[in-house]
Amino acid sequence: MKTLSMIYKISKTELQTLFYSPIAWLIIVIFTFQTSMGFSGVMGDLVKSQELGYGLQSVTKNIFAGWMGLFSTVQQYLYLYIPLLTMGLMSREFSSGEVKLLYSSPVTNTHIVLGKFLAMMVFALVLVGILLVYVIFGMCTVESFDLSLTLSGLLGIYLLICAYAAIGLFMSCLTSYQMVAAMGTLAVLSVLNFIGSVGQDMAFVRDVTYWLSISGRAEEFINGLICSEDVLYFIVVVVLFLAWSIIKLQADRQKKALSATVGKYVGIFGIVVLIGYFSSRPVFKVFYDATRTKVNTLTPNSQEIVKQLKGGLTITTYTNLLDENYWIALPSAINTDLERFEKYLRFKPEIKMKYVYYYDKVKNEDLDKRYPDMNDEERARELAKGLEMDFKMFLSPEQIRQKIDLSSEGNHFVRLIERESGEKTFLRVFDDNKRLPSEAEISIALKGLVTTNMPKVGFLIGHGERDSKQDGDRNYNRIAQDKPFRYSLINQGFAFEDVTLEKKIPADISILVVAELRSPITDEQMKNLDEYVARGGNLLIAGEPNRQEYMNPLVERFGVSFMPGCLVERNENFLPNFIKARPTPESCELAYVFEGLLEKNRCVTMPGCTGLAYSEGKGFQVIPMLVSDTIGSWNELETTNFVDDSVSLNPVIGEVEKSYPTALVLLRTIGSKEQKIVILGDADCISNGEVSIYRKTVKASNFAVIAGVFYWLSDGEAPIDIRRPVPPDDTVYLSQRAMNGVRIAFMWGYPGMLLLIAVFIWLRRRGR
């Protein structure tokens, strides 16, 4: 009790000195003005967007977190304030000689240090209290405000201030000059921000320096994720610098040998390094996601997949120095790369991450231009030299091929995920702006390791059908097996095989694709197809205009027929046979993808499409999935040259202006299985050319529809559903006019009120 009483008295005295001085109040007023300006700016932008009719999402996060959020901005300039507060904590005692009185009193060094640090903790609460006002205002003006997210951010800011204060206290113990202490604090903070990039090429050094870095430590808190590693980091930093402060005062007070003092410094630092190293190991980490919708955590489907991964799991990253994506996992970037799998390590901390570096032949046009006269080894040596890396660490083509054959992946950057029990699969990077795999691609790759019944797609060949392997506009490689394409079905959990009707369709084929027959199926071949249908196999059938004679014998058994002629619609900018089909409300019950298409008014482009006629007398439930427009659309029976000839509606020959089905889904139950069939009136809508094309005035989502179709055909096995609940905080209860008043109140009234309090205290103090 006596110790606590002494610490309290020192803290009280320090706080009185602090709040009776102009610098503390100046910092508070400037801090309030700066934060009010940031808060008003972000909130004002949201109100303006709302007034202009734009929908808002995740309002709480946009105000307080994210790139431009208030808390994110605050942590960027906090380091400017704390040195001014801490520079006089002990320097003032040294320069005035009051430290001798402290040394002669029954006050220990520990009392002094803890008392002064407690004063800084109280001042940190004042700064956090200023921020809390904005949180309370947000609670009153934002619908379904996410309070737990902001409280997590406030905790991160508070811990950051405390860490800065402990560093400033130690620097103040080193000198009697306050400005030197302030500059020293800034220097140490700069080192702690920079040290994370030191020694990243060396394994153990990389882990230690990366952990020591204070840069971005509060960011996870601000984004709503509380991690035991980050909490422990701030605690350890505080303890480290407080302990060093006590050692420094003891050395001054007792005049101990320099070697003994240095030994204590090093010993405590060594303990901190060990604690930091072990606390950063995934197995020791504990997490709490403070966000309402758990955006920092794997979705339930992904968690269930990871839960099934019993035993060891190794992810080996193969980096080809000659590949354009070599930069992703260089030794200096390993810690950043590990963070990409942090969500998975939380649920399976025993995952082992390995990295292999090599060079080998790969398609890279950039290198061909830069080093046209060099062979692969010469290019690799030149790159290693430029990156200041030891060329010996890169395996030669012969050496890497002894370990693994990556020719099927084109020797591109790739990861091999391998279970202890032997199952393995590749995880790729992609040719889009994101490059890296998202949760959808990682989780579906893991699912393939634990699920034996992942869907396998068979592409029918032998009748001029679309090819799933070849490039070219009319083929299906892009959506089926194009490995660099993120949304290709091979990257979403599907396996593939070409299928012929010369023999029975393999039992492991769960989805059969028949894309535009250009020659008839013989009676013998039809028997094998009928056997597949009879056992309940799922089908995707795509037709084309002028192929009715080959396609109708296939679909008539289901009560469907491809109508004669070709669908047309009045188009101002496109040919008449360019159909913009829309999803039906009934399609939303098939797959969640269609809900988004309807909400966003997206279409599916079908250049050259036949209408579909159907009846339900064949035992199938038939549901239109895509339809043409009701107005301006009809089935053209006369015109065939849509480039040179014009089209016009001719009711005399049976042309009717109405909405026509362009895609149907069929359902029936066979035993315990539900058989599913999709019939498309256009085979081009999922071709390489149509999926890849962009038209300025058309909001098309062709591949999204195909993803939804295969999700339905695979009974929800793939692609994996990683949807999250929609954040409900999507409205601000402020008008633009009201926001103008709020801006004035926060930017001028709030700091002005604090300034008046400061003047009142100063005048009262002066009067005494």
Side-chain angles (χ1 to χ4, degrees), residues 198 272 371 415 621:
V198 175
V272 166
Y371 308 114
R415 304 184 201 266
Q621 177 189 358

Side-chain angles (χ1 to χ4, degrees), residues 127-141:
L127 296 181
V128 170
I130 292 171
L131 298 176
L132 183 61
V133 172
Y134 308 119
V135 173
I136 295 172
F137 182 80
M139 291 174 61
C140 299
T141 56

Side-chain angles (χ1 to χ4, degrees), residues 14 17 87-102 116 172 175-178:
E14 188 63 40
T17 303
M87 65 182 183
L89 286 176
M90 286 304 302
S91 300
R92 184 176 57 249
E93 314 285 0
F94 289 134
S95 61
S96 65
E98 293 180 6
V99 71
K100 295 179 180 180
L101 296 176
L102 286 174
K116 290 182 177 291
S172 184
T175 177
S176 60
Y177 298 99
Q178 295 188 31

Side-chain angles (χ1 to χ4, degrees), residues 11 15 19 117-128 158 162:
S11 176
L15 283 171
F19 280 101
F117 181 70
L118 179 59
M120 288 297 98
M121 291 179 67
V122 173
F123 192 86
L125 284 176
V126 173
L127 296 181
V128 170
Y158 181 71
C162 289

Side-chain angles (χ1 to χ4, degrees), residues 50 105 115 122 124 143 172 253 277 294 335 353 402 405 457 464 499 503 564 573 579 598 650 677 694:
Q50 185 173 262
S105 66
V122 173
E143 181 181 3
S172 184
R253 197 170 190 174
Y277 179 79
K294 306 302 177 187
N335 278 315
M353 302 290 292
Q402 290 177 0
D405 183 8
V457 182
V499 172
K503 56 183 179 180
N573 300 311
I579 303 298
L598 277 176
N650 187 355
I677 300 173
Y694 166 75

Side-chain angles (χ1 to χ4, degrees), residues 113 117 158-171 185 188-189 192-193 195 208-215 217 228-245 268-269 271-273 275-276 279:
V113 170
F117 181 70
Y158 181 71
L159 291 174
L160 184 64
I161 296 173
C162 289
Y164 284 175
I167 295 169
L169 175 56
F170 172 66
M171 299 308 298
T185 303
V188 172
L189 294 179
L192 287 177
N193 275 281
I195 198 171
V208 172
T209 57
Y210 194 77
W211 185 86
L212 284 174
S213 175
I214 202 171
S215 176
R217 281 289 178 177
S228 60
E229 179 192 6
D230 295 325
V231 174
L232 189 61
Y233 172 85
F234 286 117
I235 294 174
V236 168
V237 167
V238 168
V239 172
L240 171 67
F241 283 96
L242 293 184
W244 278 0
S245 299
I268 292 176
F269 182 75
I271 294 172
V272 166
V273 168
I275 293 174
S279 68

Side-chain angles (χ1 to χ4, degrees), residues 38-69:
F39 176 77
S40 301
V42 176
M43 180 70 89
D45 289 342
L46 292 174
V47 171
K48 184 182 294 184
S49 296
Q50 185 173 262
E51 290 274 304
L52 291 173
Y54 295 105
L56 302 182
Q57 293 182 341
S58 302
V59 172
T60 310
K61 186 173 183 179
N62 287 330
I63 294 174
F64 294 97
W67 182 51
M68 295 294 291

Side-chain angles (χ1 to χ4, degrees), residues 642-694:
F642 297 104
V643 176
D644 299 319
D645 297 338
S646 60
V647 297
S648 60
L649 181 66
N650 187 355
V652 176
I653 61 173
E655 295 178 355
V656 180
E657 183 178 6
K658 67 175 184 177
S659 175
Y660 290 85
T662 62
L664 299 173
V665 298
L666 286 71
L667 288 162
R668 72 173 177 180
T669 301
I670 297 181
S672 60
K673 184 183 186 303
E674 188 174 53
Q675 186 175 34
K676 301 176 178 180
I677 300 173
V678 175
I679 301 177
L680 302 175
D682 174 37
D684 287 327
C685 68
I686 58 174
S687 66
N688 296 341
E690 197 59 29
V691 168
S692 303
I693 199 171
Y694 166 75

